[in-house]
Amino acid sequence: MIHNALRTRMILTLIVSLGLTGCAEVAYERLNDPSRDTWQKPQGVIETLSIAPGSRVADLGAGGGYFTWHLAKAVGPRGTVYAVDINKAALDMIFKEMVARGTPNVRPVRATPNDPRLPEPVDLVFSCNTYHQMIDRDVYFRSLASSLRPGGRVAILDFEPRGFFSGMFGNRIAKEDVRLEMEAAGYRLVDDHQLIDQQHFQIFEAADS
Ligand SMILES: C[S@@+](CC[C@H](N)C(=O)[O-])C[C@H]1O[C@@H](n2cnc3c(N)ncnc32)[C@H](O)[C@@H]1O
């Protein structure tokens, strides 16, 4: 119950704050609140992904970097995490934290809504609570396949439309819709994890790989 209340508060704060100029940092700080770990299970998510040291990973819609630092630890010093976001405030926060933590294996990337602008192909595109916000997803993910290295994966973690605020703000998407859209964009589902209450966590590969 407490977890649900925290989650709802987090979503509402994000929506309101991102809608107000200059308040994005507040929303990202909220997303980075350590209390989120209780239900978001970042360690479990990272373990589930089995990321090889030295991998190149894109954190698509990195926000304030909640998952970025976990990913950076998983890829290790020889790997790279591209923290991709369209929001400058998000990337500024990540850059500051990067300097504070001394993590040279993280690189902030300013994306556009239609292009992640990745400087090189990656082994894994990880995206948490972002897919539902993206526009023209069919075209986007079809094109993203060219940014995957051989055997590359796309991991999508997002909220299932359930409960009182179900889809009210377009802030959730059904697991089945993600799968159907990704298949239409040229991917196949390779894993479907039941790790987090109220969130689906699906892993895709390019269908022709
Ligand atoms: C709800 S936040 C999630 C942030 C982070 N992944 C987390 O779980 O804390 C969604 C983020 O996706 C970003 N975003 C939305 N559309 C995007 C796109 N097309 N490309 C990159 N980032 C995008 C937003 O700017 C926002 O920072």
Side-chain angles (χ1 to χ4, degrees):
M1 268 313 171
I2 289 174
H3 297 165
N4 288 348
L6 279 173
R7 210 175 346 218
T8 302
R9 204 169 60 185
M10 180 179 287
I11 291 167
L12 285 174
T13 307
L14 185 75
I15 291 162
V16 172
S17 301
L18 285 177
L20 299 171
T21 309
C23 290
E25 290 88 350
V26 177
Y28 290 131
E29 274 161 19
R30 190 89 201 120
L31 282 175
N32 288 350
D33 192 312
S35 65
R36 179 178 173 187
D37 292 0
T38 317
W39 61 268
Q40 187 67 83
K41 304 181 183 166
Q43 309 284 4
V45 170
I46 298 296
E47 276 165 30
T48 300
L49 289 168
S50 301
I51 297 169
S55 296
R56 289 159 222 181
V57 174
D59 184 3
L60 180 61
Y66 178 80
F67 270 106
T68 306
W69 315 112
H70 292 284
L71 293 166
K73 195 171 167 200
V75 302
R78 288 184 299 107
T80 307
V81 176
Y82 296 105
V84 179
D85 209 290
I86 53 175
N87 191 313
K88 185 174 178 304
L91 300 174
D92 287 348
M93 268 182 82
I94 289 176
F95 183 76
K96 265 193 218 154
E97 190 65 18
M98 204 180 94
V99 173
R101 289 178 184 239
T103 38
N105 61 349
V106 171
R107 289 179 52 188
V109 177
R110 182 82 186 266
T112 68
N114 304 103
D115 184 356
R117 289 182 159 165
L118 286 169
E120 62 171 343
V122 296
D123 300 289
L124 172 68
V125 173
F126 171 79
S127 195
C128 179
N129 301 348
T130 297
Y131 185 91
H132 68 265
Q133 291 189 5
M134 299 178 75
I135 54 167
D136 299 330
R137 291 189 287 258
D138 180 29
V139 178
Y140 190 98
F141 283 93
R142 188 167 288 283
S143 152
L144 188 73
S146 63
S147 295
L148 290 179
R149 298 178 81 199
R153 298 174 295 161
V154 180
I156 297 174
L157 183 54
D158 216 323
F159 281 106
E160 191 65 46
R162 270 192 284 161
F164 182 69
F165 288 106
S166 172
M168 197 183 280
F169 302 102
N171 57 349
R172 293 173 177 232
I173 185 163
K175 176 169 99 169
E176 189 65 359
D177 289 343
V178 175
R179 183 181 65 76
L180 290 172
E181 288 183 9
M182 288 297 282
E183 285 176 356
Y187 295 82
R188 66 165 180 271
L189 180 69
V190 290
D191 273 309
D192 177 358
H193 300 289
Q194 312 292 321
L195 180 68
I196 300 155
D197 184 34
Q198 293 199 34
Q199 282 185 328
H200 44 81
F201 182 17
Q202 299 180 97
I203 304 196
F204 299 89
E205 282 179 1
D208 59 7
S209 67

